Amino acid sequence: QVQLVESGGGLVQAGGSLRLSCAVSGRAYSSYAVGWFRQAPGKQREFVGHIDWTGGSTYYAASVQGRFTISRDNIKNTVYLQMNDLKLEDTAVYYCAAELYNSGSRLPGDYNFWGQGTRVTVSS
């Protein structure tokens, strides 16, 4: 079992920055890779990026490439999503999720455990 708790969401001006945190705990937490997803009202859940918990390799959706960065702090057992140059279309609830097999999947159904989400609102 793995527990994930997101934090750091809030209201930010367009062009600004925000850092989200995903605290990971539970049995064998280091065996899980972590993905970030987001979901806006009326839209499907969208892949944002992925990080290997043990190896630290990352990749991103094209829509956020160059603006968002995923990192980890293994001492704190926390994964971060640094969001820069935020745009109105980045407004969504952001979720972190853990997968057992480190497939790097972009599909929500391939992830085993989910946090409750943190809301990000970008103002015009």
Side-chain angles (χ1 to χ4, degrees):
Q1 296 182 349
V2 177
Q3 297 82 44
L4 304 97
V5 179
E6 303 95 337
S7 62
L11 179 65
V12 62
Q13 294 180 350
S17 297
L18 200 64
R19 189 180 73 166
L20 307 183
S21 298
C22 174
V24 183
S25 62
R27 182 177 296 177
Y29 71 90
S30 61
S31 298
Y32 292 88
V34 173
W36 283 96
F37 295 80
R38 65 187 183 185
Q39 187 166 22
K43 297 184 64 178
Q44 68 179 25
R45 191 161 296 186
E46 175 188 23
F47 174 79
V48 174
H50 178 276
I51 186 168
D52 186 330
W53 182 256
T54 57
S57 62
T58 60
Y59 71 96
Y60 305 91
S63 59
V64 306
Q65 181 72 45
R67 298 189 298 120
F68 291 10
T69 303
I70 301 174
S71 61
R72 72 190 191 280
D73 184 334
N74 288 339
I75 301 300
K76 298 181 179 179
N77 298 326
T78 300
V79 175
Y80 301 98
L81 178 64
Q82 177 67 46
M83 304 184 294
N84 297 325
D85 190 25
L86 283 161
K87 305 177 183 298
L88 294 178
E89 53 265 38
D90 295 320
T91 295
V93 176
Y94 283 72
Y95 300 88
C96 60
E99 63 162 339
L100 178 63
Y101 300 108
N102 192 33
S103 70
S105 176
R106 292 171 166 82
L107 303 176
D110 290 334
Y111 287 76
N112 305 103
F113 304 98
W114 291 82
Q116 294 183 347
T118 185
R119 177 179 171 86
V120 173
T121 302
V122 183
S123 63
S124 61

